[in-house]
Amino acid sequence: MTMSVAHHFDDVEQQKHAATLGMWVFLASEVLFFGGLLAGYAVYRALYPEGFAAGSRHLDLWLGTLNTAVLLTSSLTVALSVEAIYSGNRRRAGYLLAFTIVLGIAFLTVKGFEYAHKYHEHLVPGAHFQFVDHAEGDAPPQGVELFFSCYFALTGLHAVHMVIGIGLFGVLVFELLREKGNAPSPLRIEVAGLYWHFVDVVWVFLFPLLYLIHVAE
Amino acid sequence: MTTDHRTRRNYLNANYSIWSWLFTTDHKRVGILYLLSVTFFFFIGGAAAVLFRLELMTPRGDLTLPETYNKLFTLHGIVMIFFFLVPSIPAVLGNFFLPMMIGARDVAFPRLNLASWYIFITGGLFTIWAIVTGGVDTGWTFYTPYSSTYGNTNVIAAALGVFIAGFSSILTGLNFIVTTHTMRAPGMRWFRLPLFVWAHYATGLIMVLGTPVLAVTLLLLILERALGIGIFDPALGGDPILFQHLFWFYSHPAVYIMVLPAMGVVSEIITCFARNRIFGYRFIAFSSLAIAILGFLVWGHHMFVSGQSMYAGFVFSFLSMLVAVPSAIKVFNWTATLYKGTVTWSTPMLYALGFIGLFTMGGLTGLFLATLAVDVHVHDTYFVVAHFHYIMVGGAVMGYLGGVHFWWPKMTGKLYPENWARFSAILIFFGFNLTFFPQFVLGYLGMPRRYHAYPEQFQVLNVMSSAGASILGVAYLLPLGYLIWSLRYGRRAGRNPWRATGLEWTTPSPPPTENFPDGTPIAGDAYQYSSVDDWDLVLPAPEEHPEEAAV
């Protein structure tokens, strides 16, 4: 598979080095982006452990687990797609990426159902927030609304990143599967894949921090 | 061959259409786009300063309403910090010269570079919109819960503007890091890099790792205000101090985003106009990285009186003092470079020397503020205002103007009128000190910042400060005038009017689009200056370079 070299690079090696390093540096930036929010989460969970556990009990563990499985599978299909394009199999790379998009949309759909459910239960922070926990009696523990603020901010930000990833893959799938025109550079798929793996890893942290913190009790 | 230089192709005359500028991926043109934009924002922020310095001429509030005064200093802070100081040297001079200094044809991601400018402009438009539709009065720090719950001004639009502009900063920093790693010319080893590049590499690290934290913090503030997702709301058990921690985690390192590039500029200027090799190259290079790293560990010194724990205060106080070490290393090395050098009092040199003096003042008063007990006394007074203006204006703006003058002949191919430039450099130094030195005294005497009225005994010092500000205002307009004048009437600069070392001086002025028309240069050791150079040869003279004639 040949790659075209942009005018300001000397050779393919240099271009590849720059593109992958660029994505890694960007992901370092992203770590700090989520990091700021996770720092807030850590502070409030330390202050209000009961409130966070009570909030966590109101998340649907099964849907969260299902989504974790969906997202991990989507990372696998991306990795296979990169493998396919480097071995010259353009169509297979395209189908694998298309399947990744399907999995991504499935994840967002499940997330959407969860959000709708929270909305009906009045668990969206704001004027309509109302927390009723039958297991704990009628007085909601302090900090439970902060838990849901963290929940919506973290998962919402994560979902925005997924939408961007799906958009990136959409362009690549179009270029891979169209009849005419050059295939996209394998480098672009690899770098977009790197981004997707990062979004996946973020979820690997979010899932236990949001869904599992009450389980150990 | 002809000597008709008007026909020579360069990055400026390669294409005259507006689209060729708006869709350019040439790092030099992106630098010029940034130059025009930050100049615009500088004078907006400056106009606000003129207004509130006028108000402070008298003890009573008689020119502006208290609300208007609050909006003016907020506007001044937001515009100057996020839309002038942070992008100024990196996005203008860094974009233009970092690739040329390492012998590259462009930055690693030219389209991302252009995108960063559009993002910057979008953020700027949001902020201007916030200003013209009523303004913001939270101060540039956006402290909660005032900004999230109680304030009734355009916080969302202003915060959104800063949030958006942050991404342009991240992209610029990312480009610098990757460009420095991957685009160096043959022979350009790490320890041959100009110190300007080291400084920008360190700045890039802060931009990439600090800015996202500010971004997410402002996003949470916006969500809290707009949707009631109350992360910082005390009514829900939220902690407004958490906002301050997250805010300063970026905004203290942001000081080094502003001053590190200026230190890089000063390193170039000092060694060139002292005709002396830079003293302690590796110390200066590593002190940039040390400042970048230590800068992330000191944010708590903004919060000594905010209710953080006393032990946190101890640690932050100690770490803040540590930052003085790499900063002092730089100052001593520059001074040692001047020692036994053949010093010329050219305009860039005047700015660089001004930088060293003012930055030292700002740095030493920073030690006062890092000392817990003293900070309790001067916290939120004009002492703090004076201190950070010595760093940001005395440091960063002096460095920026020095750099603009140093590289102006390369960017435009024209020389500015030297005497006018020297005069305005001296005027800026004088006006600056008259504006801000009295503020140290005011602060020490107890005048708090951010008030539109004050007790009568403070009037003399305030009038001095306002008088200085008016001199400073005129002095800033002068370069705007004569630099534009030089575009048409300035003498031609030739490739290397200062006989400086560095790859950017080996190409024609202005450089052609591809930077190095004779192919990729081979790099040697940096700063091969020798004080035995006959300085007469160095004075700017219209050089003839027949090989630069039309191809």
Side-chain angles (χ1 to χ4, degrees):
Chain A
M1 181 112 272
T2 56
M3 282 192 242
S4 60
V5 181
H7 73 94
H8 57 294
F9 290 114
D10 291 329
D11 51 37
V12 177
E13 272 309 301
Q14 190 188 28
Q15 175 163 310
K16 182 167 177 168
H17 186 191
T20 37
L21 181 65
M23 185 45 90
W24 278 108
V25 173
F26 178 72
L27 294 183
S29 189
E30 288 274 40
V31 167
L32 269 293
F33 192 68
F34 281 96
L37 196 43
L38 287 171
Y41 169 94
V43 167
Y44 291 141
R45 192 178 149 200
L47 281 175
Y48 309 113
E50 290 86 14
F52 269 54
S56 174
R57 262 193 293 279
H58 277 251
L59 300 185
D60 193 321
L61 185 55
W62 291 112
L63 289 181
T65 311
L66 172 68
N67 257 351
T68 308
V70 167
L71 209 51
L72 289 177
T73 314
S74 77
S75 255
L76 173 69
T77 53
V78 170
L80 290 174
S81 172
V82 173
E83 183 66 31
I85 192 73
Y86 273 112
S87 52
N89 201 333
R90 177 176 170 180
R91 293 199 76 76
R92 200 171 73 163
Y95 288 131
L96 279 164
L97 271 196
F99 189 55
T100 309
I101 294 178
V102 172
L103 290 170
I105 291 173
F107 177 96
L108 290 175
T109 311
V110 171
K111 198 89 233 143
F113 277 113
E114 285 188 78
Y115 277 5
H117 189 62
K118 298 287 164 297
Y119 181 78
H120 290 304
E121 285 193 325
H122 300 287
L123 291 177
V124 178
H128 301 287
F129 184 83
Q130 203 178 6
F131 185 83
V132 184
D133 193 341
H134 298 294
E136 300 268 331
D138 280 338
Q142 216 190 351
V144 70
E145 190 168 350
L146 284 174
F147 173 81
F148 283 102
S149 291
C150 289
Y151 168 79
F152 280 103
L154 282 164
T155 56
L157 219 50
H158 178 257
V160 168
H161 279 78
M162 290 196 60
V163 171
I164 293 169
I166 289 170
L168 291 176
F169 287 151
V171 175
L172 288 170
V173 167
F174 169 76
E175 289 183 27
L176 283 166
L177 295 183
R178 67 186 166 186
E179 296 297 320
K180 294 173 190 166
N182 291 329
S185 152
L187 198 53
R188 280 173 57 204
I189 302 177
E190 193 176 337
V191 168
L194 210 50
Y195 172 81
W196 190 262
H197 294 316
F198 168 79
V199 176
D200 198 357
V201 168
V202 170
W203 179 258
V204 169
F205 280 88
L206 294 191
F207 175 62
L209 288 177
L210 296 170
Y211 289 80
L212 299 183
I213 51 174
H214 66 280
V215 174
E217 288 172 8
Chain B
M1 271 188 191
T2 162
T3 48
D4 183 9
H5 287 258
R6 279 168 302 181
T7 56
R8 188 166 60 74
R9 304 307 278 177
N10 60 53
Y11 80 102
L12 287 169
N13 66 14
N15 191 329
Y16 285 108
S17 77
I18 182 80
W19 300 114
S20 74
W21 280 92
L22 292 179
F23 291 110
T24 185
T25 51
D26 183 343
H27 66 102
K28 300 182 286 301
R29 283 190 163 204
V30 174
I32 297 293
L33 290 174
Y34 266 114
L35 174 70
L36 299 173
S37 337
V38 301
T39 306
F40 170 75
F41 284 114
F42 178 76
F43 283 101
I44 297 228
V50 167
L51 288 175
F52 62 65
R53 271 327 313 175
L54 268 176
E55 161 65 60
L56 292 170
M57 292 280 283
T58 56
R60 281 180 310 163
D62 33 24
L63 180 69
T64 63
L65 294 170
E67 295 80 21
T68 317
Y69 181 84
N70 292 349
K71 287 174 182 173
L72 282 174
F73 74 67
T74 304
L75 157 69
H76 174 74
I78 291 178
V79 168
M80 283 302 200
I81 288 173
F82 296 113
F83 295 97
F84 175 72
L85 285 166
V86 166
S88 60
I89 298 179
V92 178
L93 300 173
N95 260 334
F96 201 111
F97 289 107
L98 186 137
M100 296 185 70
M101 284 181 173
I102 64 172
R105 288 187 287 278
D106 209 317
V107 290
F109 307 111
R111 279 184 298 178
L112 221 49
N113 201 20
L114 177 66
S116 88
W117 182 72
Y118 277 100
I119 294 169
F120 175 74
I121 291 297
T122 310
L125 289 178
F126 262 100
T127 305
I128 288 179
W129 179 58
I131 293 162
V132 297
T133 57
V136 195
D137 67 351
T138 58
W140 76 279
T141 47
F142 295 108
Y143 270 12
T144 54
Y146 181 70
S147 60
S148 54
T149 311
Y150 302 109
N152 55 2
T153 49
N154 284 344
V155 178
I156 292 182
L160 203 57
V162 175
F163 171 79
I164 293 169
F167 289 98
S168 81
S169 190
I170 292 174
L171 295 182
T172 301
L174 186 151
N175 241 326
F176 287 168
I177 292 173
V178 177
T179 305
T180 311
H181 269 284
T182 63
M183 310 286 284
R184 283 170 286 131
M188 185 56 86
R189 297 196 296 266
W190 279 86
F191 290 115
R192 286 176 169 178
L193 289 173
L195 292 163
F196 180 89
V197 177
W198 277 99
H200 276 76
Y201 184 82
T203 308
L205 289 177
I206 307 176
M207 287 171 154
V208 163
L209 299 178
T211 319
V213 177
L214 176 76
V216 80
T217 310
L218 292 178
L219 188 65
L220 290 174
L221 170 62
I222 293 166
L223 289 177
E224 178 154 347
R225 238 187 122 82
L227 304 175
I229 305 230
I231 297 270
F232 305 114
D233 187 355
L236 305 178
D239 190 354
I241 305 290
L242 176 67
F243 176 89
Q244 295 186 22
H245 276 292
L246 293 173
F247 179 83
W248 289 114
F249 182 84
Y250 165 79
S251 295
H252 191 78
V255 175
Y256 305 116
I257 293 181
M258 302 174 214
V259 86
L260 270 173
M263 291 167 159
V265 169
V266 167
S267 300
E268 301 295 317
I269 294 175
I270 292 280
T271 173
C272 175
F273 292 102
R275 311 312 297 168
N276 219 351
R277 286 192 193 190
I278 196 87
F279 188 89
Y281 172 94
R282 289 191 185 211
F283 277 95
I284 299 184
F286 281 121
S287 64
S288 289
L289 292 180
I291 289 173
I293 295 163
L294 285 172
F296 275 111
L297 307 175
V298 302
W299 78 88
H301 68 220
H302 294 269
M303 302 165 60
F304 284 156
V305 298
S306 293
Q308 75 181 357
S309 96
M310 188 177 64
Y311 301 104
F314 287 163
V315 174
F316 280 123
S317 174
F318 173 71
L319 290 171
S320 303
M321 291 192 184
L322 276 188
V323 183
V325 176
S327 309
I329 285 175
K330 282 186 192 288
V331 171
F332 286 126
N333 280 307
W334 292 324
T335 319
T337 307
L338 291 170
Y339 179 66
K340 287 195 176 170
T342 313
V343 175
T344 316
W345 307 102
S346 63
T347 310
M349 189 62 156
L350 292 178
Y351 279 111
L353 294 174
F355 174 97
I356 295 177
L358 300 179
F359 173 76
T360 304
M361 289 263 305
L364 290 176
T365 50
L367 287 175
F368 290 40
L369 293 166
T371 309
L372 275 168
V374 182
D375 183 70
V376 172
H377 175 56
V378 293
H379 190 90
D380 264 345
T381 69
Y382 269 84
F383 191 88
V384 176
V385 175
H387 156 70
F388 71 70
H389 279 90
Y390 266 78
I391 298 289
M392 291 182 189
V393 185
V397 179
M398 294 295 265
Y400 174 69
L401 288 174
V404 166
H405 283 85
F406 186 54
W407 283 294
W408 186 259
K410 178 53 64 182
M411 289 193 279
T412 64
K414 294 298 176 67
L415 293 169
Y416 49 81
E418 183 68 25
N419 286 334
W420 274 103
R422 282 184 199 171
F423 172 66
S424 64
I426 292 166
L427 201 61
I428 286 173
F429 185 81
F430 179 70
F432 173 83
N433 280 301
L434 186 57
T435 309
F436 291 105
F437 195 84
Q439 295 187 6
F440 278 125
V441 185
L442 278 171
Y444 205 80
L445 294 175
M447 177 167 165
R449 60 192 288 204
R450 295 185 169 175
Y451 282 88
H452 77 301
Y454 54 83
E456 283 187 5
Q457 68 261 33
F458 294 142
Q459 187 170 12
V460 174
L461 288 165
N462 268 299
V463 170
M464 282 170 72
S465 181
S466 292
S470 62
I471 294 172
L472 200 52
V474 173
Y476 281 139
L477 284 170
L478 284 175
L480 186 71
Y482 66 71
L483 288 178
I484 293 173
W485 178 90
S486 78
L487 289 178
R488 189 169 175 88
Y489 302 106
R491 282 188 299 153
R492 272 196 322 98
R495 282 183 186 228
N496 191 355
W498 320 123
R499 303 226 161 200
T501 64
L503 295 179
E504 79 270 30
W505 300 104
T506 63
T507 72
S509 306
T513 303
E514 70 272 25
N515 286 353
F516 299 101
D518 310 326
T520 310
I522 309 288
D525 280 329
Y527 308 121
Q528 298 277 13
Y529 290 107
S530 153
S531 48
V532 297
D533 270 1
D534 185 357
W535 182 250
D536 290 340
L537 293 173
V538 183
L539 280 176
E543 293 177 47
E544 291 302 327
H545 280 286
E547 74 277 15
E548 289 173 20
V551 181

